[in-house]
């Protein structure tokens, strides 16, 4: 019997996908290609599985060109690159990779929050470029953490892991979330959270209700001394409004792991701002987290090919 044809949208280290060895016929997209590689296009009509990265758009049109598809396995917890409704409508289970990147993403969130609060990029640059005079009592003053309020928008697993870390710094916690959860953090409306928080950290999924959630109106609501952290998805924040906010001092600082678009072009004016730290979507970029994400993506894929329930299925209603 011939092996099922699987399209891997981007190359992955062999050691991360050993579970697929001998079980599938893999066609692999191009390295560094942001999107669904044209190289894979001719294989779509016979493909039974797709293992995708978050940079590959899996939309209705692509699904319609892959009539034999039995599973889409996304190597990410977020699935905003996939048309979930179209998958469900076609009875295609969609796999994703929750839990294994929670710690890595929460760690990175704290890293960029602390970098912003203590002005690390700016002070390191000053030291390197000869602007470190004598020890200065007023030089590079940053924000105090103990007693400050961190407002977490989206109190899912990653939001809660950020809260756990922030507690260790003596930070007071607030959150806004559609559902109230059991937590020592105070549940606030988004507006209250934005008005009262010293740091605001975004951890909500990107969907129609969160796209552009933080725009001019919301940024103007925030404290002028506030630091905004985005480790969710770029389009949750309106890019132009953020630029104005940082230039005109509506807020003090933005620390971004995600941007809109991605990659953010080198010509973006955001890079030239001293009060904006941008890292290239590295929230889950630890050896352990990325390997586990790939392994879970393989488990989901193989289960889908075998007609079994995916261990981590984003649209379990396909089984109803
Ligand atoms: C995800 O898995 O959705 C993350 O954004 C990857 O870092």
């Amino acid at each position: 019997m011939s092996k099922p044809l699987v399209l891997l949208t981007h190359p992955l280290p062999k050691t991360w996908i050993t579970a697929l060895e001998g079980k599938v016929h893999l066609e692999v997209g191009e390295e560094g290609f942001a999107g669904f590689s044209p190289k894979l296009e001719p294989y779509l009509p016979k493909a039974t599985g797709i293992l995708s990265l978050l940079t590959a758009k899996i939309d209705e049109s692509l699904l319609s060109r892959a009539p034999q598809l039995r599973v889409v396995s996304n190597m990410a917890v977020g699935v905003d690159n996939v048309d979930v409704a179209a998958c469900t409508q076609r009875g295609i289970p969609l796999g994703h990779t929750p839990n294994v990147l929670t710690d890595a993403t929460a760690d990175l969130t704290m890293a960029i929050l602390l970098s912003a609060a203590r002005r690390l990029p700016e002070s390191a640059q000053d030291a390197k470029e000869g602007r470190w005079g004598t020890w200065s009592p007023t030089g590079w003053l940053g924000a105090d953490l103990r007693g400050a309020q961190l407002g977490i928008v989206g109190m899912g697993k990653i939001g809660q892991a950020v809260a756990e870390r922030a507690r260790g710094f003596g930070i007071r916690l607030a959150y806004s979330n559609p559902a109230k959860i059991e937590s020592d953090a105070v549940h606030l409306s988004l507006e209250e959270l934005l008005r009262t928080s010293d740091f605001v950290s975004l951890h909500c999924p990107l969907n129609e209700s969160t796209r552009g959630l933080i725009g001019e109106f919301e940024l103007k609501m925030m404290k002028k001394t506030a630091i905004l952290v985005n480790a969710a998805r770029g389009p949750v924040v309106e890019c132009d409004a953020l630029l104005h906010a940082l230039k005109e001092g509506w807020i003090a600082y933005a620390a971004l792991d995600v941007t809109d678009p991605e990659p953010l072009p080198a010509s973006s004016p955001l890079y030239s701002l001293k009060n904006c730290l941008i890292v290239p979507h590295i929230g889950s970029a630890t050896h352990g987290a990325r390997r586990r994400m790939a392994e879970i993506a393989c488990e989901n894929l193989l289960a889908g090919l075998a007609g079994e329930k995916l261990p981590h299925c984003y649209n379990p209603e396909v089984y109803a």
Side-chain angles (χ1 to χ4, degrees):
M1 209 172 72
S2 66
K3 292 176 195 151
L5 173 61
V6 169
L7 310 184
L8 172 60
T9 62
H10 299 81
L12 287 174
K14 265 206 172 98
T15 53
W16 294 2
I17 55 169
T18 48
L20 304 184
E21 258 171 41
K23 298 197 180 117
V24 302
H25 175 88
L26 264 192
E27 288 296 336
V28 185
E30 287 147 81
E31 178 84 63
F33 188 84
F36 188 84
S37 167
K39 187 186 153 205
L40 296 178
E41 192 64 39
Y43 299 102
L44 276 172
K46 295 221 165 110
T48 50
I50 292 180
L51 200 164
S52 49
L53 300 195
L54 53 79
T55 48
K57 201 168 157 67
I58 311 292
D59 57 12
E60 164 62 35
S61 147
L62 184 136
L63 293 173
S64 70
R65 301 196 297 282
Q68 319 244 13
L69 209 55
R70 295 208 291 267
V71 58
V72 174
S73 176
N74 207 35
M75 190 187 133
V77 64
V79 293
D80 47 284
N81 58 311
V82 182
D83 186 334
V84 183
C87 284
T88 308
Q89 208 203 349
R90 290 166 180 273
I92 299 172
L94 168 62
H96 71 146
T97 63
N99 309 327
V100 293
L101 47 72
T102 301
D103 283 332
T105 308
D107 291 345
L108 190 275
T109 301
M110 289 308 292
I112 58 176
L113 170 56
L114 295 181
S115 292
R118 298 304 304 273
R119 302 172 61 184
L120 295 195
E122 187 188 338
S123 56
Q125 190 82 5
D126 284 346
K128 198 170 169 179
E129 293 174 2
R131 289 184 292 276
W132 179 7
T134 180
W135 181 86
S136 158
T138 53
W140 302 288
L141 299 181
D144 292 295
L145 300 178
R146 185 168 297 281
Q149 178 173 303
L150 169 64
I152 298 176
V153 179
M155 196 63 151
K157 291 201 175 92
I158 296 173
Q160 290 177 49
V162 170
E164 182 192 330
R165 284 152 178 76
R167 266 181 213 114
F169 288 89
I171 293 173
R172 286 182 298 112
L173 295 165
Y175 73 99
S176 86
N177 203 44
K180 203 168 170 189
I181 63 155
E182 207 171 298
S183 169
D184 60 350
V186 188
H187 187 229
L188 297 177
S189 67
L190 179 63
E191 180 170 337
E192 278 175 294
L193 178 143
L194 294 173
R195 285 193 195 287
T196 57
S197 294
D198 301 291
F199 316 129
V200 173
S201 195
L202 307 175
H203 299 286
C204 50
L206 174 64
N207 53 39
E208 281 329 299
S209 55
T210 60
R211 188 176 291 278
L213 185 72
I214 307 296
E216 176 173 343
F217 183 70
E218 290 75 21
L219 288 160
K220 282 187 168 160
M221 238 176 231
M222 290 171 64
K223 292 186 177 183
K224 285 195 181 342
T225 50
I227 294 172
L228 175 68
V229 179
N230 190 1
R233 284 293 185 263
V236 174
V237 178
E238 281 176 17
C239 198
D240 286 349
L242 180 63
L243 182 63
H244 284 120
L246 294 170
K247 273 177 137 172
E248 292 162 26
W250 311 345
I251 65 170
Y253 210 111
L256 310 174
D257 181 40
V258 290
T259 57
D260 183 22
E262 283 185 18
L264 190 68
S267 59
S268 167
L270 282 174
Y271 287 118
S272 62
L273 301 179
K274 273 197 171 166
N275 55 350
C276 188
L277 165 64
I278 300 171
V279 292
H281 202 150
I282 55 168
S284 63
T286 66
H287 294 286
R290 287 280 166 87
R291 170 190 281 272
R292 281 301 290 141
M293 287 164 73
E295 288 170 348
I296 289 176
C298 290
E299 289 163 22
N300 282 333
L301 178 88
L302 291 174
L305 293 176
E308 292 160 9
K309 217 167 175 184
L310 311 195
H312 296 283
C313 187
Y314 191 84
N315 59 345
E317 58 277 20
V318 283
Y319 301 114

